[in-house]
């Protein structure tokens, strides 16, 4: 895996609190079937409502490949991170993989340990801590993707308009 950490975190199909379920389903399908790209695209179209764009599907597949969950050798298979995660199947392994490969997740958890934050505050914290992210401070969609991944892992929850750490 390359040492460069990813600036962008891509949303997964299935909804903001179901990213881990979606990841698990993709990894299960790839491990069981070693699909071609066309088969992987068709599986996505059959598994998620309102998902048809090949480009949109492949953007998510490319992200999973960059993280190391998937790799392509004529057919798709589990990458090193995918194999490790499937083998252990726990939140701690997934969190370590995601923190190692994506900028901002670890610092966001530390920031939330000091107290609840709104999405705007999370976006501001991420840009202040990681200026290399260089996203538009007026838009919170990149912060939302980080929140959604952590929420889907059961590590944070939304209470009112603020996000806070769970007991996990």
């Amino acid at each position: 895996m390359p040492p460069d950490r990813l600036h962008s975190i891509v949303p997964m199909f299935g909804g903001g609190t179901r990213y881990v379920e979606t990841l698990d389903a993709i990894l299960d399908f790839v491990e069981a079937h070693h699909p071609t790209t066309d088969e992987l695209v068709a599986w996505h179209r059959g598994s998620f409502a309102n998902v048809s764009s090949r480009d949109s599907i492949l953007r998510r597949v490319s992200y999973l490949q960059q993280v190391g969950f998937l790799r392509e050798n004529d057919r798709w298979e589990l990458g090193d991170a995918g194999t490790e995660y499937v083998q252990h199947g726990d939140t701690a392994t997934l969190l370590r993989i995601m923190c190692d490969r994506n900028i901002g997740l670890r610092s966001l958890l530390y920031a939330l340990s000091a107290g609840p934050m709104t999405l705007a505050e999370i976006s501001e914290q991420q840009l202040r801590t990681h200026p290399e992210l260089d996203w538009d401070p007026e838009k919170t969609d990149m912060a939302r993707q980080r929140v959604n991944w952590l929420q889907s892992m059961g590590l944070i929850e939304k209470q009112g308009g603020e996000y806070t750490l769970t007991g996990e």
Side-chain angles (χ1 to χ4, degrees):
M1 226 178 318
D4 296 333
R5 292 181 22 192
L6 303 169
H7 291 206
S8 293
I9 295 180
V10 175
M12 300 303 290
F13 297 122
T17 59
R18 299 188 61 204
Y19 287 9
V20 173
E21 288 175 50
T22 298
L23 172 65
D24 290 347
I26 292 167
L27 296 179
D28 287 348
F29 176 74
V30 168
E31 185 177 37
H33 300 284
H34 301 284
T36 64
T37 298
D38 287 343
E39 291 167 340
L40 187 54
V41 168
W43 177 85
H44 274 84
R45 288 176 174 154
S47 297
F48 302 101
N50 303 318
V51 173
S52 62
S53 166
R54 182 179 181 89
D55 288 344
S56 181
I57 293 166
L58 291 179
R59 185 168 66 92
R60 283 149 176 90
V61 170
S62 176
Y63 173 71
L64 296 178
Q65 185 178 23
Q66 291 172 343
V67 174
F69 289 118
L70 301 176
R71 75 171 151 239
E72 187 180 20
N73 288 325
D74 292 329
R75 298 176 84 76
W76 288 96
E77 59 188 37
L78 297 184
D80 292 341
T83 300
E84 179 184 2
Y85 173 56
V86 166
Q87 185 177 50
H88 295 281
D90 63 353
T91 301
T93 300
L94 178 58
L95 178 62
R96 184 186 47 71
I97 290 167
M98 292 296 287
C99 285
D100 286 351
R101 294 298 296 136
N102 296 280
I103 294 172
L105 290 176
R106 187 173 285 119
S107 71
L108 176 53
L109 288 171
Y110 286 130
L112 287 169
S113 71
M117 299 170 73
T118 65
L119 191 58
E121 291 168 336
I122 289 169
S123 185
E124 179 183 309
Q125 177 274 332
Q126 290 285 278
L127 288 169
R128 186 177 57 252
T129 307
H130 308 284
E132 68 273 24
L133 291 172
D134 194 34
W135 68 58
D136 181 347
E138 299 299 316
K139 295 182 179 176
T140 58
D141 53 328
M142 292 304 294
R144 181 173 307 285
Q145 299 318 319
R146 285 159 172 75
V147 163
N148 287 349
W149 271 102
L150 294 173
Q151 248 187 312
S152 71
M153 287 184 230
L155 300 174
I156 67 173
E157 61 189 352
K158 188 173 182 179
Q159 295 179 350
E162 296 182 315
Y163 293 90
T164 186
L165 294 178
T166 64
E168 186 74 26

